[in-house]
């Protein structure tokens, strides 16, 4: 079970980064949804992380805020 962080760097409020599980409908193993947006245009995937805790630690260091997690984590 792997985890990814999706960093939506276009999000104005900088709440764009969210932790996802690899099999989340939003993730697709870090490739993101098929759409018109080019990879990296709106955001980037960070990962995989083997443990959710690794992703949380990274999130805290990188974004200097409490981890935000997708509903797929629960
Ligand atoms: Zn998710």
């Amino acid at each position: 079970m792997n985890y990814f962080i999706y960093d939506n760097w276009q999000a104005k409020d900088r709440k764009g980064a969210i932790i996802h599980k690899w099999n989340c409908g939003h993730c697709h193993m870090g490739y993101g949804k098929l759409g018109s947006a080019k990879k990296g245009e709106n955001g980037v995937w960070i990962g995989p992380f083997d443990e959710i805790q690794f992703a949380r630690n990274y999130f805290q260091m990188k974004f200097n805020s409490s981890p935000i997690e997708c509903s797929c984590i629960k």
Side-chain angles (χ1 to χ4, degrees), residues 3 20-21 23-24 42 48 54-55 58-59 61-62 64 71:
Y3 299 90
H20 293 275
K21 211 182 272 186
N23 60 351
C24 174
N42 297 320
F54 297 163
Y58 182 95
F59 192 108
M61 292 292 292
K62 175 86 175 171
N64 199 24
S71 55

Side-chain angles (χ1 to χ4, degrees), residues 4 17-21 24-27 67-74:
F4 290 84
I18 303 176
I19 301 174
H20 293 275
K21 211 182 272 186
C24 174
H26 297 289
C27 286
I68 299 165
E69 298 172 11
C70 177
S71 55
C72 66
I73 300 289
K74 312 287 185 268

Side-chain angles (χ1 to χ4, degrees), residues 34-50:
L34 292 176
S36 54
K38 291 177 177 166
K39 291 183 180 66
E41 185 178 1
N42 297 320
V44 292
W45 289 98
I46 304 166
F49 300 88
D50 276 343

